[in-house]
Amino acid sequence: MRAIRVASAALLGVSALVVSAPAAHASGDSSGFWARVVPGTVEPGGRVRLHANGCDQSVTVSSGVFDTVVIPRWRTTARVTVDRDARRGAVYEVSFYCGTFWQSADLRIAGGRPDPHPRPDHPDHPGHPDHPDKGVKAGAGGSLAGFDLKEIGLGAALITGAIGTAYHLSRRRADESDA
């Protein structure tokens, strides 16, 4: 009889773990796609290397400071020349597109003093007219080394509750059968 109780509790605990795993996995970027620009600061007219890894298809790279480039799926890098008329001190967003996934990196143009409050209507503003607004660039907020403490706590609570319920029900059945 004890073996049945232990097996029931284990099965219920594993079931809770299996049910909660897809939700925890869905919040992370499971694609493994990442991108960067090297060097991160360049003179106008200089060359940079675009790196994109973890994409099983061609990667399209665009920015307001160079022509759109496609990195073929069998390669991970491409070199581009920054426009000679790039505004010194400006920071341009470089967007990497891998199917439905995208990454962005900043490319700083060397020299000059950046305007802390550039006006979008100013001719030197580095705006991104070809790119839709993607929202705020934010960090992993509330996570530690890829682990979201809220999700870990919720998962632990679900598993503890499932094991506790199984134990309680098995004890109640044992008491009923002994009486």
Side-chain angles (χ1 to χ4, degrees):
M1 193 66 153
R2 181 163 172 78
I4 292 174
R5 283 187 247 151
V6 171
S8 297
L11 184 60
L12 197 53
V14 169
S15 298
L17 184 61
V18 168
V19 169
S20 64
H25 181 71
S27 68
D29 180 9
S30 62
S31 70
F33 173 59
W34 63 269
R36 64 187 171 134
V37 179
V38 178
T41 302
V42 66
E43 291 284 332
R47 291 180 59 87
V48 294
R49 184 175 299 272
L50 308 170
H51 293 267
N53 283 342
C55 185
D56 59 353
Q57 56 188 311
S58 295
V59 176
T60 303
V61 186
S62 60
S63 178
V65 73
F66 57 78
D67 293 331
T68 298
V69 175
V70 175
I71 302 174
R73 79 176 170 169
W74 61 87
R75 296 193 49 200
T76 58
T77 62
R79 289 185 65 97
V80 296
T81 301
V82 173
D83 294 341
R84 290 194 180 281
D85 61 347
R87 193 175 66 139
R88 291 186 175 276
V91 177
Y92 292 87
E93 179 181 47
V94 179
S95 299
F96 296 78
Y97 299 95
C98 171
T100 58
F101 298 102
W102 67 272
Q103 294 280 321
S104 66
D106 288 335
L107 177 60
R108 182 176 306 278
I109 307 303
R113 288 184 52 158
D115 183 1
H117 304 290
R119 294 186 350 239
D121 59 340
H122 192 274
D124 289 338
H125 185 266
H128 307 284
D130 296 359
H131 305 292
D133 183 28
K134 296 179 192 87
V136 176
K137 285 186 189 177
S143 68
L144 176 65
F147 296 109
D148 186 343
L149 296 179
K150 289 180 186 175
E151 290 176 352
I152 291 172
L154 179 61
L158 285 171
I159 292 169
T160 302
I163 291 172
T165 301
Y167 179 75
H168 175 71
L169 291 175
S170 66
R171 294 289 296 169
R172 195 170 79 187
R173 286 187 190 143
D175 291 343
E176 288 174 359
S177 65
D178 290 343

